[in-house]
Amino acid sequence: MMDRTQQLQSIRPKITSAKIMPDMSDDERFQNETLRPIIKFQNDLLLASFQNYIKKMKNTFYELKLEKRLDYIAKAIQKDIKYRNSLKGMIIGHFTVEEYENYIQNSSALNKRMMNMVVKRLQDQIQIFEKHELIQ
């Protein structure tokens, strides 16, 4: 029977482009080994979460031009502490105990990396939010 660590690691997607080099910083290694696979795995949940955020904010997102929408995503994650903490929970909840112990050693810098990756992922998939606009 697999333990929690093995189960968590077995469901994560493999990201072949995330290279692990001997001269990498610990933060960069953590980003490539842990954060990237978890964020990719959680993609659908992150998208649904942002769609819900748009609704909670009275759909003002849809009144904006593309460039302002990209800014809206970044500002929502940077400035809305409750929402940012919710996103962090979606990711941290998939850490193994060992990964969590590494994370707490430098959580501030890793949180910044984590949120930058989430912002980029949402921005790169902004067209998905267009589809929801048409459905409503």
Side-chain angles (χ1 to χ4, degrees):
M1 185 168 141
M2 289 197 295
D3 67 5
R4 182 178 185 276
T5 296
Q6 292 168 323
Q7 289 176 343
L8 285 171
Q9 291 175 336
S10 73
I11 62 173
R12 291 181 189 166
K14 303 292 182 242
I15 303 176
T16 55
S17 63
K19 303 293 183 208
I20 307 302
M21 308 301 266
D23 59 339
M24 278 183 163
S25 70
D26 290 341
D27 289 354
E28 193 173 1
R29 181 178 306 278
F30 189 85
Q31 173 181 300
N32 288 340
E33 288 180 341
T34 303
L35 296 178
R36 285 191 191 284
I38 292 172
I39 290 170
K40 184 172 183 176
F41 178 75
Q42 291 291 76
N43 186 63
D44 290 346
L45 182 58
L46 295 170
L47 292 172
S49 168
F50 190 70
Q51 183 63 43
N52 183 58
Y53 184 86
I54 290 170
K55 286 179 190 170
K56 279 186 167 180
M57 297 298 140
K58 312 264 189 271
N59 292 320
T60 56
F61 177 84
Y62 297 121
E63 299 165 9
L64 305 172
K65 300 266 187 240
L66 177 61
E67 190 172 320
K68 293 289 186 187
R69 287 182 183 193
L70 295 172
D71 289 342
Y72 185 99
I73 291 169
K75 285 184 178 151
I77 293 171
Q78 292 166 357
K79 306 245 185 248
D80 190 327
I81 294 167
K82 285 174 70 173
Y83 183 56
R84 184 173 64 230
N85 286 341
S86 173
L87 293 170
K88 285 193 291 191
M90 292 175 198
I91 297 163
I92 294 168
H94 281 264
F95 287 179
T96 65
V97 172
E98 181 183 352
E99 289 166 343
Y100 181 73
E101 290 169 352
N102 289 334
Y103 163 78
I104 59 175
Q105 299 303 311
N106 196 13
S107 62
S108 182
L110 292 172
N111 284 338
K112 186 172 184 176
R113 283 180 183 263
M114 187 188 316
M115 292 301 103
N116 286 338
M117 293 168 69
V118 171
V119 166
K120 179 81 169 110
R121 180 163 279 274
L122 293 175
Q123 288 174 335
D124 287 350
Q125 299 176 85
I126 199 163
Q127 74 281 0
I128 289 175
F129 304 116
E130 295 293 326
K131 292 176 187 173
H132 290 294
E133 179 183 13
L134 297 174
I135 293 170
Q136 292 177 357

